[in-house]
Amino acid sequence: MNGSSWVRRSVALYLLAWMMLGVLLAGLIVAATGAGPLASLLFAVPLTLCYASACGFSAYYLCRAYPLGKRRLGAVLSVFVFSAATAALMWCVAGSAWASLCTLVLAQADAVAVTRPFVAMMFGIGVLLYWMTAVAHYLALEFERARRAETQALESRLLAQDAELRMLRTQVDPHFLFNSLNSISALTSIDPGKARDMSLQLAGFFRHTLGLEAHRKVSLGEEMALLERFVAIEQVRFGPRLAFTRQVGEDAAQCLLPPMILQPLVENAVKHGIGQMLDGGRITVWAERAGSLLRLRVQNDIDPDEAGAAAAPGAIGLANVRQRLAAAYGRQASVHWTREDDKFRVDLVLPAETTESLMGDADARTDRR
């Protein structure tokens, strides 16, 4: 819902509430003075709507000029007592003039008689209505302040995620770039065509990563395309020592996740797993959707003789992934890793989100507003 429609809706609801107060005031006049129902409505409803405009503008500016958290309570009460009394007095004067005008068009018996008790009643009601309007404005301002704080918190979170993704980019193993360039240099004299293909793949990989935004989630299919490009570059260096397998379900490929969330896991698998083995090994990326959850797994072969050397090879990358999932999903996501014999496995569980589900949630939030 845009701002202009929200303002129009708020004004309409404000005037409707005051019109209902005008009808109630008309009923009170009938009961207190014995005036006719039509005369009471003609007197009370227009007068109340005019008072609504005066109270609305006056209380709005005073509430902004005297915020509760920044002004002394005594000063705020004094200002609103004086303003309410002044507005109610002017309302009584306007009511007397309006009653005289209504008497000219209505029978004398049905007209509203302006007596001292009646003026005192109008004055008291006017003061109460003014204070109620001020309280409503203070509540609206507090609601606006809370929404602004929520928006600023969300913007700060997005900026933090962007900074986190930039940090992740700087953590992409520099040896990957240097080794790729060395491989390209070696291939230029052996296989120029292959060197050219590797140069294009390397350029495409970094062009893709530079275009990612931390707050915009990507589909698992897009993430897998980035991983395959990364592995293709590494396969030029490792040759048949590096095998790669993907097992991604069709429904899982449509799910959204933070960009480059799997890349550091595959990079760890290459550096700390396959790169430490003379005969190489295999990296497997597996994904499936289980109801409202998306389950991911990155598994790689390791040297069984060094299985006890470290509990979690590539701990910096694993910690980075855990922190990013916590920032994006809170406690709804989890990361676990295990090391068994000649396998190292990282399991990720996160909410299964799709473009359609996010659009549905956005529409629902808009309807609630």
Side-chain angles (χ1 to χ4, degrees), residues 95-136:
S96 299
W98 179 242
S100 300
L101 184 61
C102 291
T103 302
L104 298 177
V105 298
L106 294 174
Q108 188 69 27
D110 293 335
V112 176
V114 179
T115 60
R116 286 187 177 182
F118 179 75
V119 172
M121 180 187 71
M122 282 193 60
F123 181 84
I125 293 176
V127 170
L128 291 176
L129 291 178
Y130 189 93
W131 285 345
M132 289 173 59
T133 305
V135 170

Side-chain angles (χ1 to χ4, degrees), residues 67-317:
L68 292 178
K70 299 180 180 180
R71 297 289 186 128
R72 292 185 297 106
L73 182 59
V76 175
L77 291 177
S78 300
V79 167
F80 279 98
V81 167
F82 176 77
S83 301
T86 303
L89 183 61
M90 294 178 63
W91 191 41
C92 292
V93 173
S96 299
W98 179 242
S100 300
L101 184 61
C102 291
T103 302
L104 298 177
V105 298
L106 294 174
Q108 188 69 27
D110 293 335
V112 176
V114 179
T115 60
R116 286 187 177 182
F118 179 75
V119 172
M121 180 187 71
M122 282 193 60
F123 181 84
I125 293 176
V127 170
L128 291 176
L129 291 178
Y130 189 93
W131 285 345
M132 289 173 59
T133 305
V135 170
H137 278 300
Y138 272 126
L139 291 175
L141 290 175
E142 184 63 22
F143 176 72
E144 180 183 351
R145 186 197 64 78
R147 287 187 61 184
R148 187 164 54 248
E150 182 180 357
T151 301
Q152 291 174 351
L154 179 60
E155 291 175 352
S156 299
R157 180 178 175 182
L158 293 179
L159 290 175
Q161 289 183 359
D162 281 328
E164 191 175 17
L165 183 58
R166 286 194 294 269
M167 180 182 68
L168 175 62
R169 289 172 184 154
T170 62
Q171 289 179 352
V172 173
D173 189 4
H175 295 292
F176 160 65
L177 177 59
F178 299 147
N179 291 334
S180 298
L181 293 176
N182 289 334
S183 298
I184 292 172
S185 177
L187 286 171
T188 53
S189 59
I190 302 174
D191 192 342
K194 208 169 189 179
R196 179 178 181 277
D197 292 340
M198 187 173 181
S199 299
L200 293 175
Q201 291 174 352
L202 187 64
F205 174 80
F206 282 102
R207 186 183 299 111
H208 190 170
T209 58
L210 290 174
L212 296 175
E213 301 175 7
H215 61 273
R216 185 184 70 85
K217 295 178 181 178
V218 299
S219 68
L220 179 58
E222 295 177 279
E223 182 79 356
M224 291 303 303
L226 180 65
L227 288 181
E228 289 176 344
R229 181 170 288 176
F230 173 83
V231 172
I233 297 171
E234 292 285 16
Q235 283 175 330
V236 176
R237 182 158 59 97
F238 286 95
R241 292 175 56 206
L242 174 58
F244 180 73
T245 302
R246 55 173 290 175
Q247 300 175 4
V248 179
E250 293 184 5
D251 52 349
Q254 305 300 321
C255 294
L256 302 178
L257 68 169
M260 293 185 69
I261 201 69
L262 296 179
Q263 190 274 337
L265 302 180
V266 175
E267 182 182 348
N268 285 343
V270 174
K271 179 179 179 181
H272 300 283
I274 310 304
Q276 306 300 319
M277 303 172 64
L278 293 177
D279 297 331
R282 179 175 298 276
I283 299 174
T284 302
V285 177
W286 171 88
E288 72 169 6
R289 180 172 181 175
S292 61
L293 297 177
L294 175 63
R295 299 184 181 275
L296 304 166
R297 176 176 296 170
V298 178
Q299 179 176 286
N300 62 276
D301 297 326
I302 57 175
D303 188 348
D305 295 334
E306 298 186 8
I316 295 178

